[in-house]
Amino acid sequence: MKNLRYLTLLTAFAVLFLSSCKSDDSSSDNTDDTAIGQENRLPLGESAEDLLANIVFDRLEVEFVAIEGFEPRAETVANLQTFLEERLNKPGGIVINQRSVAAVGDAPYSTDEIRDIEDAVRNSFNDGSTISIFILWADGASVNDTQFNKTLGTAYRNTSVVLYEPTIREFSNDTGEPGRVALESTTMIHEVCHLLGLVNLGTPLTSDHEDPINSKHCIVEDCLMFFQTEVVGIVPKFRMKNLMDVTPLDPLCIADLQANGGK
Ligand SMILES: [Zn+2]
Ligand SMILES: [Zn+2]
């Protein structure tokens, strides 16, 4: 019985950890470049410095859209505001505009289908000295999910992130699982950090801490940007952590952000 419980937990944590890192899908974008917002339809990592520094843009607007019924917890939104204010140089301010919209697609979603949803509902694009990012809370799972590997979130354009809220709910708030706010926030901020160019994804390395096997992730096990595909080693990490806390960035990742214009 104990073994079974352990196995169940082990599977759950392996799934969680693997999935928070399915974030490097920067495959080509077929969107018409002549349309408004073309600066927001570039490959992942292209706007890292623009997001971090106060050079071209001094203000950030976050368009934060949930499909009705799949909104994250209010504390998750507050955690995003706190993180962005801590790390981004935006003296003009950081504003999160939150709203919900009716379902517009059929789950499970491919990244192309998520792009289509974004194109249907996104209103906010770079404008003057304001840079815009788009965060979507989807009403279904990723089409890439398997029995063993589920995706919680993906960063898929230079200013776009999707979170698969039903999957996050499935793997949070039960005994031995992370709290809902902790899992929502950790996944969301991990994906936002890919927009900020971590790791070696538009923000240059200031030290040798990119995982040589799992590229664009950090080798430091306690870091928000850590990614390990092996199940062994993941469970002890999670079992030792407070499951109600948002995982923070380690000093090496913070140093990269600071060297690329962040705080
Ligand atoms: Zn990742
Ligand atoms: Zn790190």
Side-chain angles (χ1 to χ4, degrees):
M1 193 60 194
K2 205 165 186 184
N3 277 348
L4 183 62
R5 267 182 56 203
Y6 181 79
L7 262 181
T8 307
L9 268 182
L10 189 137
T11 306
F13 286 130
V15 161
L16 292 179
F17 209 70
L18 288 170
S19 46
S20 70
C21 298
K22 280 278 207 151
S23 30
D24 305 319
D25 185 344
S26 52
S27 59
S28 66
D29 202 327
N30 296 323
T31 307
D32 183 2
D33 269 357
T34 62
I36 190 168
Q38 60 175 300
E39 286 180 15
N40 298 93
R41 295 190 182 92
L42 300 176
L44 184 56
E46 290 272 313
S47 295
E49 186 181 27
D50 284 345
L51 287 165
L52 288 163
N54 175 23
I55 299 173
V56 181
F57 301 97
D58 72 348
R59 184 175 175 275
L60 172 70
E61 194 167 282
V62 181
E63 187 173 11
F64 194 99
V65 177
I67 304 302
E68 282 171 4
F70 296 88
E71 295 82 1
R73 296 283 172 85
E75 298 97 310
T76 300
V77 186
N79 285 337
L80 178 64
Q81 183 89 38
T82 300
F83 173 82
L84 294 172
E85 285 178 359
E86 193 173 30
R87 294 288 153 226
L88 273 49
N89 254 313
K90 296 298 171 203
I94 293 170
V95 177
I96 299 176
N97 292 322
Q98 186 178 4
R99 72 177 199 280
S100 299
V101 299
V104 288
D106 289 318
Y109 297 112
S110 67
T111 304
D112 280 342
E113 288 170 322
I114 293 295
R115 287 190 182 94
D116 290 343
I117 294 174
E118 174 183 352
D119 293 340
V121 305
R122 182 169 181 169
N123 295 325
S124 174
F125 303 98
N126 296 359
D127 184 15
S129 63
T130 298
I131 190 166
S132 168
I133 68 175
F134 175 80
I135 298 181
L136 176 69
W137 295 80
D139 59 340
S142 165
V143 78
N144 296 319
D145 284 357
T146 67
Q147 184 183 353
F148 304 107
N149 184 4
K150 296 188 191 293
T151 303
L152 299 181
T154 305
Y156 59 93
R157 277 172 172 159
N158 60 325
T159 62
S160 307
V161 163
V162 61
L163 288 313
Y164 299 100
E165 176 69 3
T167 313
I168 291 175
R169 291 183 185 182
E170 186 182 345
F171 291 101
S172 59
N173 270 6
D174 276 341
T175 308
E177 291 180 346
R180 175 75 47 79
V181 170
L183 190 57
E184 285 177 346
S185 301
T186 297
T187 308
M188 170 184 66
I189 297 172
H190 177 106
E191 302 308 335
V192 167
C193 281
H194 283 311
L195 302 185
L196 303 182
L198 292 178
V199 173
N200 199 18
L201 181 60
T203 287
L205 295 173
T206 55
S207 62
D208 184 18
H209 68 105
E210 184 181 7
D211 186 331
I213 298 161
N214 306 290
S215 64
K216 312 310 175 191
H217 291 92
C218 180
I219 52 170
V220 177
E221 290 193 12
D222 288 338
C223 178
L224 173 65
M225 300 313 287
F226 179 73
F227 168 57
Q228 175 138 277
T229 50
E230 282 121 354
V231 172
V232 181
I234 293 169
V235 175
K237 170 182 158 56
F238 272 92
R239 287 165 71 90
M240 288 164 60
K241 288 282 172 188
N242 181 347
L243 296 175
M244 305 310 284
D245 282 348
V246 182
T247 304
L249 287 172
D250 77 308
L252 301 179
C253 282
I254 291 173
D256 290 357
L257 297 183
Q258 289 172 338
N260 201 28
K263 294 196 290 191

